[in-house]
Amino acid sequence: MYAVFILGTAGSGKSTLASRLVEWYVSKNAYAVTLNLDPGVIDLPYEPDVDVREYVSIDEIMSKYRLGPNGALILASDLIADRLDEIQRKVDELNPDYVIVDTPGQMELFAYRASGMFFAREFRCDAKASIFLFDPMLVNSPLNMLSIALLATSIRLRLGLAQVNVLSKIDLIKKDKLAELIECSADPARLEYALQREKDSELYLLGVSILKGLRRQGISMGLLAVSSLTYEGMVNLAGALARMLREGEDVENGDEMNYA
């Protein structure tokens, strides 16, 4: 069993991608299931195979501890770690090839609290990887792109998982803008050149300094463009996950398929 954790800022398309990724794997004759880890979500674009809301209730937490919605979500994120064994048992009973983990919309509840890191580390499977979603609505300037890249790097450091960075919802942006974003993510020199248009000299110098630091450490955004609506880029995403999870091998029609 392989686990794929999907993370990203609120509204970046995590749940939609989770449902589409499961559909993609199923179309390739692999058994994939969804694990919803957002205790506060009301509607999902899929029916979770394993749902944390069956183990942790926001309404009960609010009533029992007299907390508001935000406080209840924080406490719920910690209680989820206490129910890891039960959640693990439910997933193991399903015995999937892939479990797609849909993390909370408020990313910080999973990525920056000790309970989330504990869950990611202790969840048992053959291999794990993560997807970080870059919302095209948020990376509409060089500084914004660099800021989200730093956030993605922070998540990678926190969880310690192999990570693929994805530019989501590409069906919502023009082709020339898409090409520009992909080129800037792949070529740090191009992004540095774009930063020169920044009017605030201090922000420009800070941005260039951060970008050079990332380059020295060999950290690259390397965005994959994916649309959950049209499935564009899904093959590339599955290939990147295959290389991280099982050294480039996946299963289609019962045979080994290499994406490299």
Side-chain angles (χ1 to χ4, degrees):
M1 177 177 70
Y2 302 99
V4 178
F5 291 79
I6 303 181
L7 300 105
T9 54
S12 59
K14 295 185 291 294
S15 295
T16 304
L17 180 61
S19 65
R20 298 298 185 267
L21 195 56
V22 166
E23 290 174 2
W24 196 93
Y25 280 127
V26 170
S27 73
K28 303 301 178 184
N29 292 332
Y31 179 32
V33 301
T34 51
L35 165 55
N36 170 48
L37 282 186
D38 190 343
V41 69
I42 298 176
D43 295 313
L44 287 168
Y46 60 89
E47 186 66 32
D49 297 286
V50 183
D51 195 341
V52 74
R53 292 174 296 181
E54 296 178 5
Y55 303 91
V56 178
S57 168
I58 292 295
D59 290 338
E60 290 180 6
I61 291 175
M62 291 174 64
S63 175
K64 181 177 181 179
Y65 297 98
R66 296 185 178 183
L67 294 172
N70 291 332
L73 283 171
I74 292 173
L75 179 55
S77 68
D78 293 336
L79 293 176
I80 290 171
D82 292 335
R83 310 300 292 271
L84 172 59
D85 288 342
E86 296 171 72
I87 295 171
Q88 179 82 58
R89 192 177 307 116
K90 182 69 175 292
V91 174
D92 290 344
E93 288 173 357
L94 294 172
N95 193 28
D97 300 311
Y98 297 90
V99 54
I100 310 303
V101 185
D102 188 7
T103 63
Q106 296 87 344
M107 180 178 60
E108 64 276 10
L109 293 178
F110 182 80
Y112 292 110
R113 295 190 67 80
S115 54
M117 190 165 61
F118 172 82
F119 193 102
R121 184 181 67 244
E122 298 299 325
F123 185 79
R124 297 187 302 277
C125 57
D126 295 314
K128 306 169 191 173
S130 65
I131 299 171
F132 185 90
L133 299 186
F134 282 59
D135 188 333
M137 303 301 111
L138 298 184
V139 293
N140 53 6
S141 75
L143 275 179
N144 282 0
M145 174 171 278
L146 182 56
S147 298
I148 300 299
L150 278 174
L151 181 59
T153 303
S154 173
I155 297 299
R156 181 180 176 187
L157 289 172
R158 282 288 297 171
L159 300 183
L161 299 177
Q163 179 174 295
V164 55
N165 294 323
V166 167
L167 182 65
S168 62
K169 301 188 288 188
I170 60 171
D171 49 277
L172 298 180
I173 56 179
K174 296 181 179 179
K175 289 187 177 181
D176 57 343
K177 183 62 176 179
L178 172 60
E180 179 184 349
L181 291 173
I182 295 300
E183 288 174 7
C184 282
S185 74
D187 185 359
R190 183 180 176 88
L191 181 56
E192 183 175 341
Y193 177 78
L195 285 170
Q196 293 178 6
R197 299 196 297 265
E198 185 60 44
K199 295 180 181 179
D200 189 315
S201 59
E202 289 188 9
L203 288 179
Y204 163 70
L205 291 174
L206 176 60
V208 170
S209 177
I210 291 172
L211 184 58
K212 288 182 177 179
L214 292 175
R215 291 172 64 182
R216 282 196 298 270
Q217 296 302 317
I219 298 174
S220 172
M221 285 174 273
L223 294 179
L224 292 179
V226 174
S227 169
S228 296
L229 179 64
T230 66
Y231 285 86
E232 183 179 354
M234 196 65 74
V235 170
N236 293 333
L237 175 57
L241 291 172
R243 285 189 289 272
M244 290 188 294
L245 292 171
R246 48 196 300 171
E247 298 180 345
E249 294 181 347
D250 207 336
V251 176
E252 181 177 0
N253 299 324
D255 297 321
E256 301 274 286
M257 179 171 64
N258 196 295
Y259 288 110

